[in-house]
Structure formats: C-alpha cells, structure tokens
Amino acid sequence: MTGRYCSLAQAPAPAFAPGLAAERLSALIGGRPMWVNGTVLHYHFFDGDDASVIHLPGSTETRRVPWAGPREQRDVVRAAFREWHDLGIGLSFVEVPDRSEAELRIGFQLGDGSWSSVGKDALRVGINDRTMNFGWDLTAPGEHATALHQIGHALGMLHEHQSPCAGIHWDDEAVYDELSGPPNFWSRETTHVNILRKLSPAEVNRAVWDPQSIMEFPFPPGLILEPEEFRGGLHPPGTLSALDKEFALRWYPPPAAPRPPALVPFRSAPLRLGPGEQADFTVEPAETREYTVAAFGDCDTVVVLFEERDGEPRYLAGDDDGGTPRNATIRSRLVKGRRYVVRARLYSGWGPGETAVMCW
C-alpha cells in the first residue's frame, strides 16, 4: 500500500527579464528558492486558537481543525532541524515564540497533509499563515523522515523522483489510481504536480538521481516501469543520504574558519599608568614567527619583552636600564607554545597615562 506523501502546491512560473542568456537564466531558476548563505532561519509553532476549515480526506465533509500540535510532535521537528544543522551547513535555525519573527511557521493540522513552502517562497506567505504543515503523527515509526523531508523543502529542495535525471517511466494510470485512494485521496492534478510532472533541469537538486535521498518517495510495486530494477518498488531509507548532505553543503557551505589572529592575546585597554609605574601582560603566540610589540599613547613609555622559563621571566629585548628611554617598539621572534611577558613602563607623562600595549 502506498504511504502518505508530501503534497506541494503548483508554484507559479518565475518571471525574468527577456533576453537573458541561457546560462544566466538557468542559474537564476536554480538559485531562486535558495536562502542567502549565513541566514538565521527562525521557526515558530502555531498554538492556541489558530485553525482552519478543511475537507476531510475521502469525503465531502468539512471540519474546522486546529493547527497546534502536542509537545511530542514539536520535538520531532526540533530534532530534524538539529540533524540538518549538525551537517555543518551555513544556515542556523532558531525557535521563536512570536510568529511575526519567524520565516518558517509550522502547523500540525491533521487531515491537511504534510507540505512546505520551498525555500524563500516562505517569505511570500502572510505572517498568520503556515509555511509548513504536518498532517499525521510524527511520533509513529519512520515519521522522523517526514520532518527531515519538509525541512529539505524549506531549504529549497524539490522531490527527487521528479528529476529528469531519474529517467523514471511511470505507468501513469496506475499511479493516478493508487494515489486517488487511501491514505492520500489525491486528485489527478495533485498527483501530476507531485509525482508525474518532470522538473526542468534548472530546478533539480543535483545532476544525478539519488534514489536514497530524503526527498525521494517510497513507491510500491506496479507503478514504475523503468528503470527495471524499481518495478518491484522504490524504498529509500528515510535518512539524509550522502548526496543530500553534499547538496546542503554545496548551497550552504559552513563559514570559513577564522584566520588565526595576528595578535595573541591582546591589545590592552588603556593602562592609566603614572610616571614610574609599570604593567605586565602574558602573551601566548598563535604561531612561530617574528612579532612586533609596541606601546601607544602617552610619551616616554618603553616596553620590555621576557620569555617565561620555569615560572620566571628571562629578558629578551627592550630598554629598561633606568636611563633615558629610547624605544617603545620591539621586534622579536616568538615561538608557539611558549609564554612571554610584556612589561610596559611609563617614564613620564601627564597624569595617569593612557598608554596601551599591542602585539601583532
């Protein structure tokens, strides 16, 4: 028997300026639903009195059904957001209590099916409406996959079996007949939009078909004629596949690792030294190389550099002989893994000195 399937609405064709080159047009279509990398996506669960009237599946009756879901259902969705995030993608997800702050607004209206806006299409939905719905019990075995699938849509992914790369040859009438009955009760139009219609090459998730994708539906025997190996049914595992992870990281690469700071550990705050006073700082280099150590601010400040050995400072560079100060800058090779002490002494100035020390 066919499982319960995600049902997306037919999206209007995007409009672009005439005269665009084919390569540019393809890039615009393919990237249209994708978020800007680095976006923080806020999600909100409807609660309280939010509800709407729906047709009960398989009947002509209507009923007002609430959008709120119990904590156990919400926890399944939270776990699915964490699973996508833990891939290391450049998007992050934050739950918020106020729907007006959320790009993704999630309901649990039973009987309305499971669906989601695709990527940035969520921004076109009014703040009092859902951008995602779960229409059956997510705590049932295997339904964690439903939450992963809908979040995949929210990231901009489409149904994998609709990719022209799949080369699936359907028994169309068998598909229409199968989906018209329980548990989906789909019209021919809904079945065409979500199963039989081929995506354009610019819309696909990737250039190869991935039958293991979380965006792939399971299908019973008798619906697929070709490829021959799937005549007996198609059974994806319901987990994020290797190609799903590759897709997410290609579109949303993790932030580049911050470059090691040239200065470790400090630019000090103003020292407010009086004449003759001094202050010491410990430096731990991020890499072995030549560093510059200097004092800035009030006049007649000198710095002296020591290497810490066995808990004691050993002089390396700088003038601190009690005579006339001659420099406020030192260049010295510092070694990663060793500790150094920088001493700043104000010999003369105007009241409490505003001298600061830097190492870079």
Side-chain angles (χ1 to χ4, degrees):
M1 179 178 175
T2 299
R4 288 173 291 200
Y5 290 158
C6 160
S7 172
L8 299 184
Q10 173 74 67
F16 299 105
L20 291 174
E23 296 82 359
R24 175 62 173 160
L25 187 60
S26 177
L28 288 172
I29 294 173
R32 183 181 61 88
M34 311 308 293
W35 300 96
V36 175
N37 195 36
T39 298
V40 178
L41 289 176
H42 305 85
Y43 65 92
H44 169 78
F45 296 118
F46 281 102
D47 55 15
D49 296 328
D50 294 294
S52 60
V53 175
I54 62 170
H55 282 90
L56 298 183
S59 77
T60 58
E61 297 180 28
T62 60
R63 182 179 300 169
R64 189 174 189 273
V65 182
W67 295 354
R71 176 183 56 81
E72 294 79 8
Q73 303 267 4
R74 298 194 300 268
D75 285 346
V76 174
V77 180
R78 291 181 180 114
F81 274 117
R82 285 195 299 272
E83 189 167 341
W84 278 107
H85 178 266
D86 288 349
L87 297 179
I89 61 176
L91 300 180
S92 55
F93 309 104
V94 176
E95 183 178 345
V96 294
D98 188 338
R99 71 184 67 180
S100 67
E101 298 175 359
E103 294 83 15
L104 310 178
R105 294 175 297 281
I106 303 168
F108 297 86
Q109 187 180 51
L110 297 178
D112 193 34
S114 292
W115 48 265
S116 174
S117 298
V118 177
K120 291 190 301 183
D121 287 350
L123 300 177
R124 306 161 85 177
V125 179
I127 63 170
N128 292 317
D129 291 325
R130 295 162 293 169
T131 68
M132 186 183 298
N133 187 73
F134 295 99
W136 52 79
D137 183 7
L138 295 182
T139 64
E143 292 301 337
H144 178 68
T146 298
L148 291 173
H149 180 101
Q150 300 309 331
I151 295 172
H153 283 315
L155 297 183
M157 301 176 76
L158 294 171
H159 289 148
E160 190 70 14
H161 52 271
Q162 294 184 264
S163 169
C165 305
I168 295 178
H169 180 198
W170 301 97
D171 183 334
D172 290 6
E173 289 306 318
V175 174
Y176 285 128
D177 183 64
E178 183 73 25
L179 273 293
S180 67
N184 296 289
F185 299 104
W186 281 1
S187 67
R188 289 179 70 91
E189 179 184 7
T190 300
T191 298
H192 174 76
V193 168
N194 287 278
I195 305 292
L196 301 177
R197 180 179 69 92
K198 295 297 184 187
L199 302 173
S200 74
E203 293 178 286
V204 298
N205 299 334
R206 57 197 128 246
V208 295
W209 178 41
D210 179 16
Q212 304 298 305
S213 172
I214 194 62
M215 306 311 293
E216 180 58 83
F217 286 177
F219 291 104
L223 304 185
I224 297 175
L225 300 177
E226 301 291 342
E228 184 176 354
E229 64 184 290
F230 296 110
R231 290 181 182 177
L234 177 57
H235 308 288
T239 57
L240 299 180
S241 72
L243 289 180
D244 290 334
K245 298 171 185 178
E246 180 183 288
F247 171 88
L249 290 168
R250 173 166 55 87
W251 274 105
Y252 305 115
R259 298 180 62 183
L263 153 64
V264 175
F266 65 84
R267 170 178 180 172
S268 75
L271 304 181
R272 303 194 65 78
L273 299 174
E277 294 180 340
Q278 68 184 36
D280 291 356
F281 297 91
T282 300
V283 176
E284 298 182 14
E287 57 182 321
T288 299
R289 61 176 178 80
E290 189 174 66
Y291 287 80
T292 298
V293 184
F296 298 87
D298 291 332
C299 62
D300 293 343
T301 302
V302 298
V303 289
V304 185
L305 182 65
F306 303 87
E307 182 178 356
E308 189 176 284
R309 292 288 183 90
D310 300 321
E312 297 294 328
R314 188 184 74 174
Y315 173 82
L316 284 182
D319 284 317
D320 195 27
D321 59 6
T324 302
R326 294 190 298 273
N327 75 297
T329 302
I330 298 169
R331 287 187 67 80
S332 185
R333 184 175 181 271
L334 306 187
V335 178
K336 180 180 178 180
R338 297 182 186 174
R339 289 164 59 91
Y340 299 85
V341 175
V342 178
R343 175 171 297 164
R345 181 190 295 272
L346 181 68
Y347 274 77
S348 64
W350 300 275
E354 294 299 326
T355 296
V357 175
M358 293 184 66
C359 175
W360 71 96

